[in-house]
Amino acid sequence: MLDEIIKPLRDPVRGRQMLAEIQARWHTLAARRGRPIVLMEFCGTHTVALARTGIRSLLLPEVELKSGPGCPVCVTDARDLDRAIALASVPGVTVATFGDLLRVPGSRGSLQEARAQGADVQVVASPLDALQLAIAHRERQVVFLAAGFETTAPATAVTVQAAARQGVENFFVYSLHKMTPPGLRAVLGDREIGIDGVILPGHVSLIVGRQAWDFVAEEHQLPGVVAGFEPVELLAALGLMALHWDEEPQILNAYERVVRERGNGAAQQALAESFVPVDAHWRGLGLLPGSGLALAERYRQWDAVVQFADCWRDLEPPKPIAGCRCGDVLRGVCTPLDCRLFGQGCSPATPVGPCMVSQEGTCAAYARFAVAK
Amino acid sequence: MCLAAPAQIVRIEEGGWLAEVESFGNRRSVGLTLVPEAKVGDYVIVHAGFAVEIIDEEAAKISLATWEELLCSTK
Ligand code: SF4
């Protein structure tokens, strides 16, 4: 049963034993170095898990864990949200997307606010649900606003293929999909944030494979470890990294139950068939070359970015959100605690920026689990 | 939105596109296109309505044993 797989990974006795051993190892390493060791967790789901389990605080002061830009909702650019809102306001158009995207502010409100003003915005759990919506409502034009990294993009890839196969002409995809290696590259190339090692995203890695991260060790001379999300898996990843700390930088895999060396071939093939890499805007990181996934030419008919371009022709460029440091948080330059608005006007109930809106946002994780410095 | 959860395949529909999976008592239908080699009884990771990878139970057991050896029994 599923329980039997998960239970040992949540075992508190094992967890405590491992934690003590790991704290001791990092203590030695940090003492030798004469300063705390700074690790970045790229993935927003890791940010949440590290806050929820308390591991982030328990490793202080020897290890400082900084959050990276691995929350697809948070890195969605205000410009794209403004366009999506413009799209949702077109009569006859339904925008379908994941629930998390609804409350994210563009520079002129959110999709949720657009819905309150009469736009047809639907929440779906899967791109397949959006396709079903289009099939059930042939009189409407259904646009799936597709956010997510490599874990999510294959689902969209396969759905577009299904739409083409079934000849569904009123279904469209607005792809916000982004690739994580270019995102991480941009962060690692940023001199402002000194980091000593990277905790790599487990569920992205099951698609792209462990080897997709070799550039971290080869080009940036930093060690990395692919980690799972259960407490024991997170501790194992941190322990494994400590064990190999003195060796040449390498990318370790502590999530072998699902992450293979080369990843998921069928998913990679689906991506290659449906998408082409394009330059993409990331909130906080700017325009990153080759980091986005646009629909391939053969799916042009289903590409909302092409088919609805008129809707946002006259949109003004986005305005920044006053006082919000989400962009710096996403780059690991500061933590939410450094933002003046954190807890003072910006909270999960009244979010100001995307890092507080999204479940996987760093600000939301800090607020929900009361992370203290 | 990044939630990915383990589930077990209980039935594969004709054509092999869709499967019924069970996760902690909940049953639902998921796309199987991304793990064409999956069989009934396999544990998979489900994300955005699709099974995205098969859980390798052997690898899971081996890595757990390794971590234990490395991190719990020393000192
Ligand atoms: S606390 Fe709120 S305002 Fe400050 S960076 Fe985070 S999301 Fe932006």
Side-chain angles (χ1 to χ4, degrees), chain B:
Chain B
M1 62 154 289
C2 293
L3 274 191
Q8 187 173 28
I9 298 180
V10 291
R11 199 164 57 83
I12 295 180
E13 290 186 12
E14 225 170 293
W17 299 107
L18 290 171
E20 192 175 324
V21 299
E22 182 176 324
S23 183
F24 303 107
N26 296 318
R27 288 202 173 199
R28 55 196 274 224
S29 169
V30 300
L32 212 54
T33 322
L34 302 172
V35 284
E37 68 282 25
K39 309 179 298 299
V40 169
D42 280 351
Y43 294 98
V44 289
I45 299 280
V46 172
H47 173 75
F50 284 82
V52 285
E53 190 52 279
I54 300 169
I55 300 177
D56 182 343
E57 278 186 85
E58 277 315 301
K61 277 189 206 131
I62 293 168
S63 49
L64 196 57
T66 317
W67 301 335
E68 224 142 23
E69 196 181 317
L70 288 174
L71 294 164
C72 296
S73 55
T74 51
K75 266 258 159 76

Side-chain angles (χ1 to χ4, degrees), chain A residues 75 77 178 186 279-289 291 327 331:
Chain A
V75 297
D77 197 59
K178 294 180 177 61
D279 301 349
H281 288 276
W282 295 50
R283 199 188 287 252
L285 304 184
L287 185 71
L288 302 186
S291 68
R331 285 158 63 219

Side-chain angles (χ1 to χ4, degrees), chain A residues 77-276:
Chain A
D77 197 59
R79 195 187 61 132
D80 284 318
L81 286 161
D82 289 349
R83 287 178 169 195
I85 292 164
L87 196 52
S89 316
V90 176
V93 168
T94 297
V95 169
T97 192
F98 298 124
D100 267 13
L101 234 69
L102 249 60
R103 293 203 300 155
V104 184
S107 56
R108 288 164 196 81
S110 63
L111 281 167
Q112 181 165 285
E113 284 158 16
R115 181 162 72 173
Q117 285 159 20
D120 189 15
V121 180
Q122 305 275 341
V123 171
V124 290
S126 163
L128 277 181
D129 296 345
L131 179 58
Q132 288 308 327
L133 206 61
I135 293 170
H137 297 277
R138 295 284 187 173
E139 75 288 359
R140 299 198 63 86
Q141 300 193 296
V142 176
V143 179
F144 176 58
L145 188 61
F149 295 132
E150 292 91 335
T151 326
T152 319
T156 305
V158 167
T159 303
V160 174
Q161 292 167 16
R165 216 172 29 242
Q166 296 171 39
V168 185
E169 288 177 0
N170 62 325
F171 175 74
F172 305 88
V173 168
Y174 189 117
S175 174
L176 299 170
H177 287 309
K178 294 180 177 61
M179 290 186 281
T180 45
L184 182 58
R185 232 191 210 106
V187 171
L188 295 182
D190 186 337
R191 304 235 157 236
E192 254 186 277
I193 48 144
I195 55 173
D196 303 308
V198 192
I199 299 171
L200 296 158
H203 288 143
V204 164
S205 300
L206 66 83
I207 303 291
V208 301
R210 188 216 57 83
Q211 64 167 23
W213 306 108
D214 279 337
F215 77 91
V216 174
E218 286 161 11
E219 294 168 27
H220 301 275
Q221 279 73 52
L222 291 175
V225 61
V226 176
F229 299 89
E230 297 295 341
V232 166
E233 290 173 325
L234 280 166
L235 289 168
L238 286 156
L240 206 60
M241 191 179 236
L243 281 171
H244 292 274
W245 195 254
D246 291 330
E247 299 165 16
E248 276 288 294
Q250 57 177 309
I251 307 303
L252 302 157
N253 184 1
Y255 199 27
E256 284 165 306
R257 49 208 289 263
V258 285
V259 175
R260 325 272 183 254
E261 181 64 12
R262 290 173 186 283
N264 180 333
Q268 290 167 14
Q269 204 185 326
L271 287 178
E273 192 189 321
S274 295
F275 293 110
V276 286

